[in-house]
Amino acid sequence: MTVSRDPGAGALSGLRVVDASTLFAGPMAAMHLGDMGADVVKVEHPEKPDPSRTHGAAKDGVNLWWKTLGRNKRTITANLGSDGGREVFLALAERSDVVIENFRPGTLERWGLGYDELSARNPRLVLARVSGFGQVGPYRTRPGFGTLAEAMSGFAAMTGEPDGAPTLPPFGLADGVASLATAFAVMVALSTREATGKGQVVDTAIVEPILAMLGPQITRWDQLGTVQPRTGNRSANNAPRNTYRTSDGQWVAVSTSAQSIAERVMRLVGRPELIDEPWFARGVDRAQHADELDEAVGGWIARRTRDEVVAAFEEAQAAVAPIYDAHDIVDDPQFRALGTIHEIDDPELGPLLMQGPLFRLSGNDGVIRHTGRAHGADTDAVLGELGFSPERVAALRAEGAV
């Protein structure tokens, strides 16, 4: 595993990002930018912190999800609906490059903090607006969560067993995909700013990025009038492709997207004659014979341990992967070689493990400088940087603005 230390400037050092978003796409986009060195300032309501601070598992009353989602962020409080909070936010936006928010469309405008007001103070500002359904259209003011995006994008309809119900993921898939799209869009807007000198508004609808990841379902409907059926762990495009149980009660996944891999698998499991069948030459045709192929592959795997299966597939240059849980991931030598898992010292929990930045750069690797900080931990320091005197900060705190 990698022990994260602050080695100095990251690739985005010098970039200031204001994270005024909650649950989960916006905060995760800000986390990605922070991992690359941006100075991220997390703005939360003084009395209503980001709900992710109480989301999911906890240890001794300390939330674990926030330790990851809040990493590399300085935390301040401001009630944006108050005059004092508006003053703080405008001052922060004036000295920042990016603001990420996910209030319902129209909320910032109601507070006098829309892009007209923000860009008047800082024409170079990029405002990233993350919402369930975007800033326009009949659904724009609906509450928007990743679950709804997973339902309306087509993901749930194509996921699950053929005779079962549409299936939702047990984690924030749509939020995670939208966070990547938002971070990418922010960097595009910043690149454009270098040419024009002006910022702009990014409009991310959580329902759209996951839709874009689901393949040609729209084109298929347009051209063929059909929708992708639910196939469980199988694929409609190739076979064998499934999860298979080993003799020691473990599981592996097999993929044969390439024809050469499919042929190697069948030779490995002792059924080379199937390669000569007319239907074996195309993945979509093999998928029509998934029962026969799964019986051959699954039967062979069921007589061997997971380690034996993985070793045999590797020797045959066929595609297989053990199905891991978190324990397996931490112990895996490939993840260790990549430095995927980072060990961070946390002031509340001591050393803890978490997944690191998404990728490596040859010049400026991402780094986890610190875990998620306490609610409002950096309010005084950040407001001091913005020119607020200790007396003014005390007055804002007394009136409930911070």
Side-chain angles (χ1 to χ4, degrees), residues 142-383:
R142 287 186 181 182
F145 297 98
T147 297
L148 309 187
E150 289 145 11
M152 292 182 66
S153 64
F155 174 86
M158 66 176 66
T159 305
E161 295 299 323
D163 56 351
T167 300
L168 297 167
F171 64 99
L173 176 62
D175 284 293
V177 176
S179 79
L180 296 172
T182 301
F184 171 59
V186 163
M187 298 310 298
V188 171
L190 290 172
S191 177
T192 302
R193 187 182 73 174
E194 293 304 303
T196 65
K198 294 183 179 180
Q200 59 181 300
V201 177
V202 170
D203 179 7
T204 301
I206 296 174
V207 71
E208 287 185 302
I210 187 172
L211 190 156
M213 297 298 105
L214 294 176
Q217 62 165 331
I218 304 302
T219 307
R220 173 176 174 165
W221 169 252
D222 173 62
Q223 295 296 307
L224 301 177
T226 62
V227 297
Q228 181 170 323
R230 289 192 289 279
T231 57
N233 288 323
R234 289 177 171 177
S235 169
N237 301 313
N238 64 82
R241 193 267 198 180
N242 212 327
T243 60
Y244 306 93
R245 191 166 188 170
T246 60
S247 64
D248 54 349
Q250 303 296 312
W251 292 83
V252 297
V254 172
S255 174
T256 57
S257 296
Q259 180 67 22
S260 59
I261 298 295
E263 294 176 6
R264 292 171 192 165
V265 170
M266 300 322 296
R267 293 189 183 100
L268 174 63
V269 303
R271 296 296 303 275
E273 75 280 3
L274 294 177
I275 299 172
D276 297 325
E277 294 287 347
W279 48 262
F280 197 88
R282 295 176 69 241
V284 291
D285 293 332
R286 294 200 308 273
Q288 300 302 312
H289 295 263
D291 286 343
E292 183 176 1
L293 294 171
D294 275 348
E295 182 179 356
V297 175
W300 185 90
I301 288 175
R303 297 190 296 272
R304 292 160 175 84
T305 67
R306 186 176 77 174
D307 288 347
E308 291 171 340
V309 170
V310 171
F313 268 71
E314 184 173 348
E315 183 177 356
Q317 297 186 5
V320 70
I323 292 179
Y324 277 175
D325 60 19
H327 174 269
D328 299 308
I329 293 168
V330 170
D331 284 344
D332 185 85
Q334 181 62 30
F335 286 125
R336 289 185 177 181
L338 291 171
T340 303
I341 308 303
H342 291 228
E343 182 178 278
I344 318 295
D345 279 327
D346 179 78
E348 294 179 286
L349 299 174
L352 59 81
L353 302 182
M354 65 176 65
Q355 61 271 39
L358 298 173
F359 50 82
R360 287 154 297 283
L361 297 173
S362 61
N364 300 91
D365 257 358
V367 66
I368 302 174
R369 298 179 295 281
H370 57 79
T371 58
R373 291 170 60 75
H375 180 230
D378 303 290
T379 300
D380 289 0
V382 173
L383 266 58

Side-chain angles (χ1 to χ4, degrees), residues 42-46 48-50 53 66 75-79 375-376:
K42 173 76 174 179
V43 180
E44 299 172 86
H45 191 281
K48 301 173 184 177
D50 187 328
R53 288 182 178 273
W66 173 251
T75 59
I76 73 169
T77 59
N79 178 358
H375 180 230

Side-chain angles (χ1 to χ4, degrees), residues 106-124:
T107 300
L108 281 187
E109 286 74 12
R110 188 172 70 250
W111 291 335
L113 293 171
Y115 193 64
D116 288 345
E117 290 84 1
L118 298 179
S119 61
R121 300 282 287 266
N122 180 1
R124 292 173 57 81

Side-chain angles (χ1 to χ4, degrees), residues 5-30:
R5 302 181 180 88
D6 189 351
L12 297 182
S13 178
L15 191 76
R16 173 171 281 178
V17 177
V18 179
D19 176 11
S21 58
T22 60
L23 287 178
F24 283 103
M28 197 176 296

